[in-house]
Amino acid sequence: LEEFVSDSIYYGIKTGYNTAFFIDSDTKDELIQKDQKNAEIIKPLLVGDDARRYYTKNKDQWLIYTPWELDIDQYPDIKEYLSNWKEELSNRPECDSGRFEWWALARYGSDYQYAFKDSKIVYPVIAMSPRFAIDNGGHYINDKLYMIPEENYYLLSLLNSDLLFEIAKLRVSVLGDENSGG
């Protein structure tokens, strides 16, 4: 698969503390109402359970996207909102080492952030059946999903095929009995 997609398989964003960075529409609307500029860093979000066979469940989830190089002082309402969890955010191991500030995401895919906005194939880290889907909604993904930055329906149909799933069960780590939901 890596050869077929030229090594373009990417992991999702790791926040280090989802409670602070994952928000619902009411919170998103409230933050944008305070300052329209906040919309620049609030992104639609998919998590691992959202990827299904050929489709994604579109939940009411948004991501406050604060990469390491962001000037958070340009978004004072976002900084104030995140400060509700400053202690928890400051205690993440990466903050202790000085790699990034308390308000920043732990791992955010800086090398391929363009791919979040484009059409892509998404799939969960762990699944009991083929669960590959095309995301055309410009969703950012969390670390429970992977993405292949292409809108390739041929590849999507192969990845969701029962034949390839049977082959995968012979080659990948399996939890429990692979023929009984493992």
Side-chain angles (χ1 to χ4, degrees), residues 22-33 42-45 58-63 81:
F22 292 4
I23 60 174
D24 61 18
S25 288
D26 290 339
T27 305
K28 172 191 73 100
D29 294 343
E30 183 180 315
L31 288 167
I32 293 171
Q33 187 174 15
I42 298 176
K43 309 296 184 180
L45 176 68
N58 197 358
K59 293 183 186 171
D60 177 28
Q61 289 193 97
W62 301 85
L63 170 71
Y81 175 80

Side-chain angles (χ1 to χ4, degrees), residues 56-96:
T56 59
K57 295 190 295 182
N58 197 358
K59 293 183 186 171
D60 177 28
Q61 289 193 97
W62 301 85
L63 170 71
I64 297 176
Y65 184 70
T66 54
W68 301 348
E69 68 276 0
L70 182 77
D71 181 359
I72 194 67
D73 293 325
Q74 297 295 310
Y75 305 91
D77 299 307
I78 298 286
K79 186 175 182 180
E80 180 183 342
Y81 175 80
L82 291 174
S83 71
N84 291 311
W85 297 277
K86 186 173 182 178
E87 183 178 339
E88 293 88 347
L89 294 171
S90 297
N91 288 329
R92 295 175 294 168
E94 296 87 350
C95 286
D96 289 341

Side-chain angles (χ1 to χ4, degrees), residues 85-113:
W85 297 277
K86 186 173 182 178
E87 183 178 339
E88 293 88 347
L89 294 171
S90 297
N91 288 329
R92 295 175 294 168
E94 296 87 350
C95 286
D96 289 341
S97 68
R99 286 184 59 204
F100 57 82
E101 298 292 330
W102 66 267
W103 47 261
L105 296 166
R107 185 178 72 195
Y108 64 94
S110 62
D111 296 342
Y112 51 85
Q113 52 187 305

Side-chain angles (χ1 to χ4, degrees), residues 1-180:
L1 180 59
E2 282 182 320
E3 287 176 27
F4 186 81
V5 299
S6 305
D7 292 327
S8 295
I9 299 175
Y10 303 123
Y11 55 79
I13 295 168
K14 180 180 178 184
T15 69
Y17 196 71
N18 293 348
T19 302
F21 294 99
F22 292 4
I23 60 174
D24 61 18
S25 288
D26 290 339
T27 305
K28 172 191 73 100
D29 294 343
E30 183 180 315
L31 288 167
I32 293 171
Q33 187 174 15
K34 287 180 178 182
D35 186 344
Q36 286 293 313
K37 185 176 174 93
N38 292 335
E40 296 172 1
I41 61 170
I42 298 176
K43 309 296 184 180
L45 176 68
L46 292 175
V47 298
D49 193 49
D50 295 337
R52 296 290 158 190
R53 195 174 198 172
Y54 292 109
Y55 72 96
T56 59
K57 295 190 295 182
N58 197 358
K59 293 183 186 171
D60 177 28
Q61 289 193 97
W62 301 85
L63 170 71
I64 297 176
Y65 184 70
T66 54
W68 301 348
E69 68 276 0
L70 182 77
D71 181 359
I72 194 67
D73 293 325
Q74 297 295 310
Y75 305 91
D77 299 307
I78 298 286
K79 186 175 182 180
E80 180 183 342
Y81 175 80
L82 291 174
S83 71
N84 291 311
W85 297 277
K86 186 173 182 178
E87 183 178 339
E88 293 88 347
L89 294 171
S90 297
N91 288 329
R92 295 175 294 168
E94 296 87 350
C95 286
D96 289 341
S97 68
R99 286 184 59 204
F100 57 82
E101 298 292 330
W102 66 267
W103 47 261
L105 296 166
R107 185 178 72 195
Y108 64 94
S110 62
D111 296 342
Y112 51 85
Q113 52 187 305
Y114 69 90
F116 292 117
K117 301 172 194 164
D118 297 334
S119 294
K120 59 196 162 290
I121 296 174
V122 296
Y123 61 98
V125 173
I126 298 174
M128 295 188 314
S129 61
R131 288 178 34 199
F132 296 83
I134 299 279
D135 169 43
N136 293 323
H139 290 89
Y140 284 54
I141 62 172
N142 80 334
D143 62 337
K144 302 300 184 231
L145 287 173
Y146 288 106
M147 70 175 161
I148 301 168
E150 333 187 341
E151 186 176 0
N152 184 327
Y153 289 92
Y154 171 74
L155 177 59
L156 179 69
S157 64
L158 286 175
L159 293 171
N160 276 320
S161 72
D162 291 334
L163 175 62
L164 281 185
F165 189 66
E166 290 301 317
I167 292 170
K169 288 192 301 188
L170 298 172
R171 299 216 162 245
V172 300
S173 297
V174 176
L175 304 173
D177 180 357
E178 68 270 14
N179 294 315
S180 299

